[in-house]
Amino acid sequence: MRKFLLSLMFLGVAACATPLEYDKAKFSISPAVKLLNINSNAAMRERDGQVMAQVSGTSSKNQAVYYKVEWFDANGMKISTSLAQWKKVNLRENSEFFWKAAAPSQRAATYRVYITDDIGKGIIE
Protein backbone atom coordinates (compact mmCIF):
# COMPACT_ATOMS: atom_id res chain seq x y z
CA MET A 1 0.00 0.00 0.00
CA ARG A 2 2.84 2.37 0.86
CA LYS A 3 4.46 1.87 -2.57
CA PHE A 4 1.13 2.50 -4.23
CA LEU A 5 0.69 5.81 -2.40
CA LEU A 6 4.25 6.89 -3.25
CA SER A 7 3.62 6.03 -6.90
CA LEU A 8 0.46 8.14 -6.91
CA MET A 9 2.32 11.04 -5.31
CA PHE A 10 5.10 10.97 -7.93
CA LEU A 11 2.54 10.69 -10.71
CA GLY A 12 0.74 13.75 -9.32
CA VAL A 13 3.95 15.78 -9.21
CA ALA A 14 4.81 14.77 -12.78
CA ALA A 15 1.32 15.70 -13.97
CA CYS A 16 1.72 19.20 -12.53
CA ALA A 17 4.86 19.88 -14.57
CA THR A 18 4.04 22.24 -17.41
CA PRO A 19 5.43 21.37 -20.84
CA LEU A 20 7.81 23.79 -22.51
CA GLU A 21 5.90 26.18 -24.74
CA TYR A 22 7.84 27.74 -27.61
CA ASP A 23 7.44 29.02 -31.16
CA LYS A 24 7.62 25.85 -33.25
CA ALA A 25 8.19 27.92 -36.39
CA LYS A 26 11.43 29.30 -34.89
CA PHE A 27 12.66 26.25 -32.94
CA SER A 28 13.13 22.52 -33.37
CA ILE A 29 13.98 21.11 -29.94
CA SER A 30 14.76 17.47 -29.20
CA PRO A 31 12.55 16.01 -26.44
CA ALA A 32 15.70 15.00 -24.50
CA VAL A 33 16.67 18.68 -24.07
CA LYS A 34 15.11 20.01 -20.88
CA LEU A 35 14.45 23.74 -20.81
CA LEU A 36 12.29 25.91 -18.55
CA ASN A 37 11.83 28.56 -21.26
CA ILE A 38 13.24 29.71 -24.57
CA ASN A 39 12.73 32.81 -26.73
CA SER A 40 14.30 34.48 -29.71
CA ASN A 41 14.29 37.85 -31.37
CA ALA A 42 15.96 39.38 -34.37
CA ALA A 43 17.11 42.89 -35.11
CA MET A 44 18.66 44.57 -38.12
CA ARG A 45 21.88 46.52 -37.65
CA GLU A 46 21.47 50.02 -39.02
CA ARG A 47 25.03 50.41 -40.27
CA ASP A 48 25.00 47.46 -42.70
CA GLY A 49 21.48 46.00 -42.73
CA GLN A 50 22.63 42.63 -41.38
CA VAL A 51 20.08 40.65 -39.36
CA MET A 52 21.20 39.41 -35.95
CA ALA A 53 19.27 36.77 -34.01
CA GLN A 54 19.47 36.32 -30.25
CA VAL A 55 18.24 33.22 -28.45
CA SER A 56 17.75 33.23 -24.70
CA GLY A 57 16.41 30.70 -22.27
CA THR A 58 16.83 28.83 -19.01
CA SER A 59 17.94 25.22 -18.62
CA SER A 60 16.09 22.98 -16.18
CA LYS A 61 19.14 20.73 -15.61
CA ASN A 62 22.88 20.52 -16.18
CA GLN A 63 23.25 19.31 -19.75
CA ALA A 64 25.41 19.50 -22.86
CA VAL A 65 23.46 20.47 -25.98
CA TYR A 66 24.17 21.26 -29.59
CA TYR A 67 22.51 24.06 -31.52
CA LYS A 68 22.65 25.61 -34.95
CA VAL A 69 20.82 28.42 -36.71
CA GLU A 70 19.67 28.05 -40.30
CA TRP A 71 18.64 31.11 -42.29
CA PHE A 72 16.02 31.42 -45.03
CA ASP A 73 15.28 34.06 -47.66
CA ALA A 74 11.92 35.79 -48.16
CA ASN A 75 10.73 32.85 -50.30
CA GLY A 76 11.53 30.31 -47.58
CA MET A 77 14.57 28.93 -49.39
CA LYS A 78 17.43 27.86 -47.13
CA ILE A 79 20.56 29.96 -47.48
CA SER A 80 23.59 27.68 -47.67
CA THR A 81 26.39 28.84 -45.39
CA SER A 82 29.23 27.44 -43.35
CA LEU A 83 27.90 29.52 -40.43
CA ALA A 84 25.07 26.98 -39.92
CA GLN A 85 27.23 24.41 -38.13
CA TRP A 86 26.54 22.64 -34.85
CA LYS A 87 27.91 24.35 -31.76
CA LYS A 88 28.22 22.54 -28.43
CA VAL A 89 27.34 24.39 -25.21
CA ASN A 90 27.09 23.33 -21.59
CA LEU A 91 23.96 24.55 -19.87
CA ARG A 92 23.64 24.83 -16.10
CA GLU A 93 20.52 24.06 -14.11
CA ASN A 94 18.31 27.13 -13.53
CA SER A 95 20.83 29.38 -15.33
CA GLU A 96 20.06 31.63 -18.26
CA PHE A 97 21.85 31.29 -21.56
CA PHE A 98 22.25 33.65 -24.53
CA TRP A 99 23.27 32.73 -28.06
CA LYS A 100 23.80 35.16 -30.93
CA ALA A 101 23.86 34.42 -34.64
CA ALA A 102 24.47 36.69 -37.60
CA ALA A 103 22.66 36.21 -40.89
CA PRO A 104 24.98 35.05 -43.68
CA SER A 105 23.69 37.68 -46.12
CA GLN A 106 21.25 40.54 -46.47
CA ARG A 107 18.85 38.14 -48.26
CA ALA A 108 18.11 36.43 -44.92
CA ALA A 109 14.56 37.07 -43.79
CA THR A 110 13.83 34.31 -41.26
CA TYR A 111 15.69 31.69 -39.27
CA ARG A 112 15.17 28.41 -37.41
CA VAL A 113 17.12 27.23 -34.36
CA TYR A 114 17.78 23.50 -33.96
CA ILE A 115 18.64 22.20 -30.47
CA THR A 116 19.51 18.60 -29.57
CA ASP A 117 21.57 16.61 -27.11
CA ASP A 118 22.93 14.23 -29.78
CA ILE A 119 23.89 15.15 -33.33
CA GLY A 120 24.79 11.57 -34.26
CA LYS A 121 26.62 12.01 -37.53
CA GLY A 122 25.76 15.70 -37.58
CA ILE A 123 22.31 15.40 -39.13
CA ILE A 124 18.93 15.58 -37.37
CA GLU A 125 15.53 16.52 -38.63
Side-chain angles (χ1 to χ4, degrees):
M1 181 70 164
R2 187 174 180 195
K3 287 182 181 180
F4 178 72
L5 289 174
L6 283 173
S7 297
L8 282 177
M9 185 176 79
F10 285 120
L11 183 61
V13 169
C16 292
T18 58
L20 176 65
E21 293 185 23
Y22 59 92
D23 184 352
K24 293 186 180 22
K26 292 267 188 234
F27 295 101
S28 175
I29 303 174
S30 168
V33 175
K34 303 300 180 198
L35 302 174
L36 296 173
N37 61 60
I38 190 158
N39 297 295
S40 71
N41 59 42
M44 185 180 298
R45 288 194 308 208
E46 288 184 25
R47 70 173 189 233
D48 61 4
Q50 184 174 22
V51 177
M52 301 290 292
Q54 180 172 311
V55 176
S56 62
T58 307
S59 177
S60 63
K61 70 175 192 173
N62 291 337
Q63 59 189 323
V65 300
Y66 299 87
Y67 78 94
K68 72 176 177 176
V69 179
E70 290 187 347
W71 293 87
F72 302 88
D73 67 15
N75 296 319
M77 297 297 295
K78 185 167 118 176
I79 299 172
S80 294
T81 176
S82 61
L83 296 175
Q85 294 183 11
W86 291 106
K87 295 166 188 68
K88 182 178 180 181
V89 294
N90 293 312
L91 302 179
R92 295 282 158 235
E93 183 176 4
N94 296 321
S95 293
E96 291 184 276
F97 59 86
F98 299 94
W99 304 328
K100 290 184 179 181
S105 76
Q106 290 184 348
R107 293 185 347 212
T110 61
Y111 60 93
R112 185 165 170 92
V113 181
Y114 296 85
I115 306 170
T116 185
D117 65 329
D118 181 17
I119 57 172
K121 296 184 182 188
I123 301 172
I124 66 162
E125 291 302 326

